[in-house]
Amino acid sequence: MAERRFALKSGGFAAGLSLAAILAGVIAGFAPVATIGLSEGWTQFDPYLLRVVRFTLLQATLSTGLSLLIGIPVARALARQSFRGRALILRLFLLPLALPAIVAILGIVTVYGAGGWLGSAFDLYGLTGILIAHVFFNAPLAARLILARIEAIPAESFRLGAALGFQGHQVFRLIEWPQIRPALAGLATLIFLLCTASFAVVLTLGGGPRATTLEVAIYQALRFDFDPARATALSLVQIVICCVLAFYAARFAGFGIVSPPLRRYRARYDGGGRVARIGDFAVIALSLAIVAPPVAAVVAAGVAGLAAGVELGRAVMTSLAIATATAIIAAFAVWPLAALAARAPRFSLMANLATLGAYVIPPAVLATGWFILFSRYSQSQALAPVLVVALNSLMALPFAYGALAPAVADGAARHDRLCAGLGLAGLNRFRLIDFPLLRRPLALTLMVAGIVSLGDLTAIMMFGSHDLVTLPALIYRQMGSYRMAQAAGTALILAAFAFVLIMMIEKLGRQHDPA
């Protein structure tokens, strides 16, 4: 107990500072929204707002359902079959998670849009395009998470099933489904939350007022109509929806880095039949048809459209500077929270909710409040880079926390008693114990936060200007002015940065898998 009190005392102050900073950012975004909303926003609850809410929930529900309907059979097929190229497919499924949204959207437009590879077989702009993009992002995420659950089933369970003569549907119902089912509620909530707060996809593929979500409607109310009352009314509704989802999601596993095995040395017995193999490979082929064409389109069009220029160079430097600052701030914010949660389990829920601050109060809502708060100052434009970094840092917190917290908890369990006995604390403990142990997890945390920042479009669209442009904002600007070749070249550069980071993340994640 003495060593635990010693550690809590030494880490409580830092955790308090981190919580205070997060709370200050959230309150600064929420307070102006609540103030204007309570005084004027209620007059804005009209048919337009109801239509936006209805479409937001509709597209999120359909996107979540389609992603799970595809992800579950794909995960099961990959778990049952052993074949050359399985590791490559799993790495390919990392790409939608690595690609910034605007890059993937450009690939989807190239494949499915007007004059695209499929010859405009349907109208891409509207609900159809939004669903295609969300399934592209979330079906691989669902497949990898569910595959990790299936791979965690002891091999003895399948051997017992074989001895009892279980067929494929019985293996699923009696062995796999009990393992998958507990994770489905959390996974569905996560995907639904991501689709509800989706910004770049709806902004680019929504096609106008007929397909607008709350996040995009808030942006339009501020940047085009300058109607704070309507923006706050929309914000209040989104806060209610996201609060319910975020509190529900906090009950389940966090946003850790999941790395299912890249190879299986033996196929499972229930996947060895001819019908089973045909069905499994048909499902895998369908998943590849969803993921591969947009990625190939980005690479093909990007190579042809690569062109250096001052505008591109400035955007690269701005993106890297913002991503670096975001990664450092996010790491410093989550470390003390993870340390206190490891030593005081009752603090764990509070830490999880704190890191979800930018999703309990969505990014567009926080940006709305900050916009209203700072727009009264004549020098507010000079604060734009700071506000972009601050919002990106809040958005990166849950991912950074999921990457760092397990390693911090393991280190606390193994070394707290020794450090208390030796009187090691503060910088001495950091230098001698914590940093050598957490060096790789810290690198993982920095890369996770950096990749979130690199792909962000919300903050830069809210606070950016002609002189403050990141790579995602430049791609959106190039697409808006129909410079599709240049947009493809810029997208390839951004995708290259993101892909290098995600491959390093996967490698570090496997090295620190406790299994």
Side-chain angles (χ1 to χ4, degrees):
M1 290 299 296
E3 65 269 9
R4 182 172 292 276
R5 287 196 298 269
F6 179 84
L8 287 174
K9 182 178 179 181
S10 62
F13 179 72
L17 286 179
S18 181
L19 275 177
I22 295 171
L23 189 62
V26 172
I27 291 176
F30 175 71
V33 169
T35 301
I36 297 179
L38 291 173
S39 60
E40 306 175 34
W42 300 109
T43 63
Q44 303 294 325
F45 280 77
D46 53 16
Y48 169 76
L49 188 147
L50 295 176
R51 185 169 67 250
V52 171
V53 171
R54 187 165 55 247
F55 183 81
T56 300
L57 297 178
L58 172 66
Q59 61 85 21
T61 301
L62 292 175
S63 298
T64 303
L66 288 172
S67 297
L68 292 177
L69 284 174
I70 295 171
I72 291 175
V74 169
R76 189 162 185 261
L78 289 170
R80 295 206 306 177
Q81 302 299 334
S82 176
F83 57 93
R84 184 171 296 177
R86 182 179 183 274
L88 181 61
I89 291 175
L90 285 174
R91 288 195 173 97
L92 180 63
F93 282 4
L94 273 175
L95 288 177
L97 310 180
L99 287 177
I102 192 66
V103 176
I105 290 165
L106 180 62
I108 290 169
V109 170
T110 303
V111 175
Y112 302 104
W117 290 4
L118 297 184
S120 304
F122 45 79
D123 182 11
L124 181 64
Y125 295 94
L127 180 60
T128 302
I130 292 171
L131 292 179
I132 290 173
H134 282 164
V135 169
F136 171 83
F137 286 116
N138 295 314
L141 171 64
R144 286 182 65 90
L145 290 172
I146 294 169
L147 178 59
R149 299 285 298 193
I150 296 175
E151 297 284 7
I153 299 173
E156 290 77 8
S157 298
F158 295 106
R159 284 198 287 266
L160 178 60
L164 295 174
F166 285 179
Q167 301 300 312
H169 67 282
Q170 293 171 311
V171 171
F172 176 73
R173 181 168 58 88
L174 298 174
I175 299 177
E176 293 175 322
W177 180 244
Q179 179 78 0
I180 296 172
R181 183 176 57 194
L184 274 186
L187 176 58
T189 304
L190 171 60
I191 294 175
F192 194 95
L193 184 62
L194 293 174
C195 294
T196 300
S198 177
F199 180 76
V201 168
V202 181
L203 180 67
T204 309
L205 299 177
R210 65 190 176 91
T212 297
T213 58
L214 287 164
E215 194 94 357
V216 174
I218 292 168
Y219 165 75
Q220 292 169 338
L222 276 181
R223 293 305 294 259
F224 295 113
D225 303 329
F226 196 74
D227 187 351
R230 179 171 292 280
T232 52
L234 293 161
S235 300
L236 289 173
V237 174
Q238 187 166 10
I239 287 172
V240 172
I241 294 173
C242 289
C243 276
V244 172
L245 292 171
F247 277 96
Y248 189 62
R251 297 173 53 193
F252 300 96
F255 298 82
I257 306 302
V258 178
S259 295
L262 293 179
R263 289 184 293 173
R264 287 189 63 84
Y265 294 100
R266 294 182 60 188
R268 281 192 355 213
Y269 82 93
D270 57 314
R274 182 177 180 183
V275 174
R277 289 180 62 82
I278 291 174
D280 286 345
F281 283 110
V283 168
I284 294 171
L286 173 63
S287 67
L288 291 176
I290 294 172
V291 174
V295 174
V298 168
V299 174
V303 170
L306 276 175
V310 175
E311 185 182 41
L312 177 60
R314 186 181 302 145
V316 169
M317 297 305 296
T318 301
S319 288
L320 293 179
I322 290 174
T324 301
T326 296
I328 293 172
I329 292 172
F332 273 100
V334 300
W335 191 338
L337 296 179
L340 190 57
R343 299 173 177 98
R346 64 182 181 275
F347 181 77
S348 181
L349 178 60
M350 184 184 299
N352 273 297
L353 291 177
T355 60
L356 285 169
Y359 296 90
V360 174
I361 311 295
V365 177
L366 292 176
T368 299
W370 294 355
F371 185 90
I372 294 169
L373 185 65
F374 292 105
S375 61
R376 66 189 68 177
Y377 300 107
S378 58
Q379 300 299 320
S380 60
Q381 193 58 43
L383 292 174
V386 177
L387 295 176
V388 171
V389 170
L391 187 56
N392 281 352
S393 299
L394 285 175
M395 293 169 64
L397 287 181
F399 302 94
Y401 185 81
L404 186 61
V408 171
D410 180 62
R414 291 164 54 186
H415 299 294
D416 273 1
R417 180 170 298 181
L418 174 63
C419 290
L422 297 175
L424 277 177
L427 288 177
N428 285 332
R429 169 164 178 163
F430 172 80
R431 180 173 57 87
L432 298 173
I433 303 295
D434 290 334
F435 183 70
L437 179 68
L438 298 176
R439 184 171 51 197
R440 288 182 182 273
L442 271 175
L444 176 64
T445 303
L446 291 170
M447 286 186 285
V448 168
I451 201 169
V452 171
S453 177
L454 275 177
D456 172 67
L457 191 61
T458 304
I460 198 65
M461 292 298 287
M462 284 289 192
F463 302 116
S465 63
H466 178 74
D467 297 321
L468 182 64
V469 180
T470 61
L471 286 169
L474 178 59
I475 295 168
Y476 182 77
R477 181 182 298 180
Q478 291 169 334
M479 291 176 67
S481 58
Y482 299 101
R483 293 181 289 162
M484 301 303 289
Q486 292 181 2
T490 307
L492 184 61
I493 292 173
L494 180 55
F497 281 125
F499 182 69
V500 169
L501 283 176
I502 202 72
M503 293 305 295
M504 295 173 69
I505 287 170
E506 187 202 20
K507 182 178 179 181
L508 287 171
R510 287 202 306 272
Q511 289 175 349
H512 286 85
D513 190 341

